[in-house]
Amino acid sequence: GYIVGYGNLISKTSNGGTNWIDMSLPTTAENMNSVWFLNENTGFLCSTRDTLLYTTNGGINWTNHFYTVYQSDRIFFINGQTGWFTSNGLYKTTNAGINWFQISNQRAQSFIFINESTGWKINYTGSGNNELLKTTDGGVSWNVMFTTGNFRNLYSIDFINENTGWVCGYRGYIAKTEN
C-alpha cells in the first residue's frame, strides 16, 4: 500500500501497514495529492506540480508522464485499463494510462466511479457551496443531483453501489444517499 501527502510525502508498506518506508521525492517541495497503483510496480501520482507522474518500479523512481497545465488532485482506476484523474478538468484513460484525454473541462474536488459508465463528482460552485453531479456515460456528461448551502463545502465522496453513497465536508458535514 501507498500513502501520499503534504510536503512530497510518499510512503509504502508491504506488511499491511505495520511498517512504512519513506519514498518521498527529495528534489521537490510539492504536495502529493493522490496515488494509484495498477499492480506492484506500475503507478501514477497526482501532485501540486503540473504533471502526472508515473513509476514502473514500485515508486523508487518517478517520471513526468502527462502535462496537466494545473495541479492534479485525484486519480482513480475502476480496473486495469480504465481510469480518471482531475486537474484543470477531468481526464480519462482506457489503455492503462498510456494515453489520457480530457472528457470535461470542469475541475472536480473529488470523484468516484462504480463501473466504467457510472460515477459522481463534486464541483465547487463559489460562495461556499458545492454541487454533486452524476454521470452514466463515463464522464462525458454530468447531471446535478444535489447542491449544498451554508458553506457546506464537500471534500470527499464514496459510493458502494448505484444507490448508496456518502459525501463529507467542512465542519463535520456528512450526508448519505440510498437512491
Side-chain angles (χ1 to χ4, degrees):
Y2 293 83
I3 58 171
V4 296
Y6 182 77
N8 86 27
L9 171 70
I10 306 170
S11 293
K12 175 183 178 177
T13 183
S14 56
N15 61 7
T18 301
N19 302 100
W20 292 87
I21 300 166
D22 182 11
M23 300 182 75
S24 298
L25 303 175
T27 59
T28 182
E30 287 117 26
N31 295 328
M32 303 303 158
N33 296 330
S34 183
V35 65
W36 194 277
F37 274 78
L38 297 176
N39 56 48
E40 185 176 329
N41 292 311
T42 306
F44 297 90
L45 180 63
C46 293
S47 74
T48 53
R49 188 195 293 179
D50 59 3
T51 306
L52 184 67
L53 301 173
Y54 178 68
T55 185
T56 57
N57 60 7
I60 295 170
N61 302 102
W62 294 89
T63 59
N64 294 340
H65 181 62
F66 184 79
Y67 180 65
T68 62
V69 180
Y70 190 75
Q71 78 176 30
S72 51
D73 295 314
R74 175 156 163 69
I75 190 164
F76 176 83
F77 278 78
I78 195 68
N79 56 43
Q81 297 294 310
T82 305
W84 301 262
F85 79 87
T86 183
S87 178
N88 60 325
L90 189 63
Y91 292 81
K92 184 177 182 178
T93 183
T94 55
N95 60 6
I98 295 169
N99 303 105
W100 294 90
F101 53 96
Q102 189 171 9
I103 58 173
S104 171
N105 61 3
Q106 286 185 331
R107 199 163 167 254
Q109 305 282 114
S110 182
F111 67 92
I112 186 83
F113 280 80
I114 59 166
N115 57 46
E116 291 184 26
S117 300
T118 306
W120 295 263
K121 72 177 182 173
I122 298 168
N123 280 348
Y124 180 70
T125 61
S127 303
N129 299 315
N130 290 107
E131 292 177 329
L132 175 65
L133 297 98
K134 181 180 180 180
T135 183
T136 56
D137 59 10
V140 175
S141 62
W142 297 86
N143 295 311
V144 176
M145 304 301 290
F146 177 72
T147 303
T148 65
N150 298 324
F151 293 95
R152 296 213 172 164
N153 288 329
L154 302 176
Y155 300 135
S156 187
I157 184 171
D158 197 14
F159 272 75
I160 58 172
N161 59 43
E162 176 102 21
N163 294 312
T164 308
W166 296 262
V167 292
C168 65
Y170 187 61
R171 296 183 179 157
Y173 180 72
I174 300 171
K176 179 182 180 183
T177 183
E178 292 179 339
N179 63 3

